Amino acid sequence: MDMELKKVGDLEFPPRKVWMKTYGCQMNYHDSERILSHLSNLNFTATAEQSEADLVIFNTCAVRDLANQKFYSHLGETKKLKTHPDINPETGMKKDVIVAAGGCIAQTEGKDLITKYKQLDFAFGTDVIDNIGEMVYRAYAGEKKFSVTSWDRSENYSIETKITQGSPQAYVNIIKGCDKFCSYCIVPFTRGREKSRRLTEIVTDVKRLVEYSGVQEIMLLGQNVNSFGKDNNESLAQLILELDQINGLERLRYTTSHPYDVTDELIAAHAQAKKLVNHLHLPVQSGSNTVLQRMLREYTVEHYLTLLEKMRKANPEMIITTDIIAGFPNETEEEHLETMKLLDLAQYDFIYGYTFSQRKGTKAARMSDVLTDDIRLRRLREIQDKQLFIQGKIRQEMIGKNYRILVEDKGINKGITKWTGRTSCNRIVHFEPLTLEQDYKWHWVDVEITSATALSTQGRFVRDHGKRPL
Ligand code: SAM
Ligand code: SF4
Ligand code: F3S
């Protein structure tokens, strides 16, 4: 059998397949891409079929109970991979499937996981992603049942962005960790302390992505992205203005912001930077000052609304989205109604709503709580119903206007083929192609909006600019 071996250290690596499942936020997806990129150096290629895999990796999320449960159930299913080893058709060898868990659950529970789950060979945390090659090497050298969850203690945070997808969109991590310790949130425990990359390193990194990898749209990432640079006397606004100068870069996004760290300088950047999109995701969590205090969010509803006003003044096209938690411990009906009122005042384009989920180790988990799951769910439904009404009305205003979208994919619904892309303000638009043969993937296309509801926006094809906008 024709098989190209790759010698790494004392071991030979035949071509192998890795199957990876990612849960959670963009940061985890960014990490997964790094993992795949490192594994390609050990002769791995990705597969979408778990049954074909030699290496199975879960990149886990701990933010809410649901994400945890999904992972545990998927991990349970991997037992059968271990008990029925197959023959690898490419190597002709018996497959020794290695199963690993990384990410946020593994960071805090790595040791327990490998003890409890027999099929799990190793666990690794969020700050050792770049050592994945070494860990896989150890596993293939015969070492099993280890957990690596150490924190990187070096003073500087320095990386080069890795991409594997060949798409014009890329995540660029600019700050890791979170120092905010909101009382409900597990992230500061799973991602450690804040550490920023240096501004010049990021600019060089983005220039390289644009020049050599055809990247046109960048999402700057951080758990608290607008804390960027505090440790180095630099700022997100400065970074945005520098990146705005890069020829060939078309769109710049950033997520996720904390209202406490939105400065006037950042608001001004939204007026100045031409490539910065007309969208800001600014999680509010609650419309009640007393709940915000118990959440340790460090701002008031009034301050938050002033920020929205300033943003919309700096850029009248600005679209705002948010996150809301329904049923924080002991939230009263009045406090819940204050959140409902905020929806009217803020006029969000979209919200991510969650019921409060108790996370072990957080301050909120130690609060006594009178609310039931039913109350939380009912409040979340009320929030979502009201928001759908508001956003339906906002979206109606798009009808008749032209938008430029970056086309991502196509789908067939009830026999009709439609392509889908995103506007600068991050709204998804579907449109029918002129001919079925036309391939619009990663094209910049102008569309005129023909209909819009709270959940779906349809457009009419106007003009195709190809893979580079005119
Ligand atoms: N750093 C961002 C911020 O400050 O908004 C996002 C952090 S978290 C990954 C994304 C969202 O999950 C949060 O904005 C919050 O709404 C939600 N979340 C976090 N912890 C939660 C919990 N214990 N229960 C319910 N929702 C939670
Ligand atoms: Fe969690 Fe708060 Fe940090 Fe966001 S800012 S990651 S909600 S602790
Ligand atoms: Fe989840 Fe970790 Fe992200 S807890 S939301 S994967 S930072």
Side-chain angles (χ1 to χ4, degrees), residues 25 63-64 184-187 223-224 256-258 283 285 297 323-325 354-359:
C25 63
V63 80
R64 283 171 294 276
Y184 51 82
C185 186
I186 195 73
V187 171
Q223 280 309 332
N224 186 6
T256 303
S257 307
H258 191 294
Q285 314 298 358
R297 287 290 288 180
D323 293 349
I324 291 180
I325 299 178
Y354 311 104
T355 51
F356 169 76
S357 174
Q358 201 181 59
R359 310 316 299 141

Side-chain angles (χ1 to χ4, degrees), residues 23-25 28 60-63 104 186-187 190-191 223:
Y23 308 80
C25 63
N28 253 19
T60 63
C61 168
V63 80
C104 286
I186 195 73
V187 171
T190 64
R191 292 271 166 184
Q223 280 309 332

Side-chain angles (χ1 to χ4, degrees), residues 186-202:
I186 195 73
V187 171
F189 304 93
T190 64
R191 292 271 166 184
R193 298 291 59 76
E194 278 176 10
K195 222 186 273 181
S196 299
R197 291 172 71 192
R198 298 306 300 256
L199 187 145
T200 48
E201 177 186 293
I202 300 165

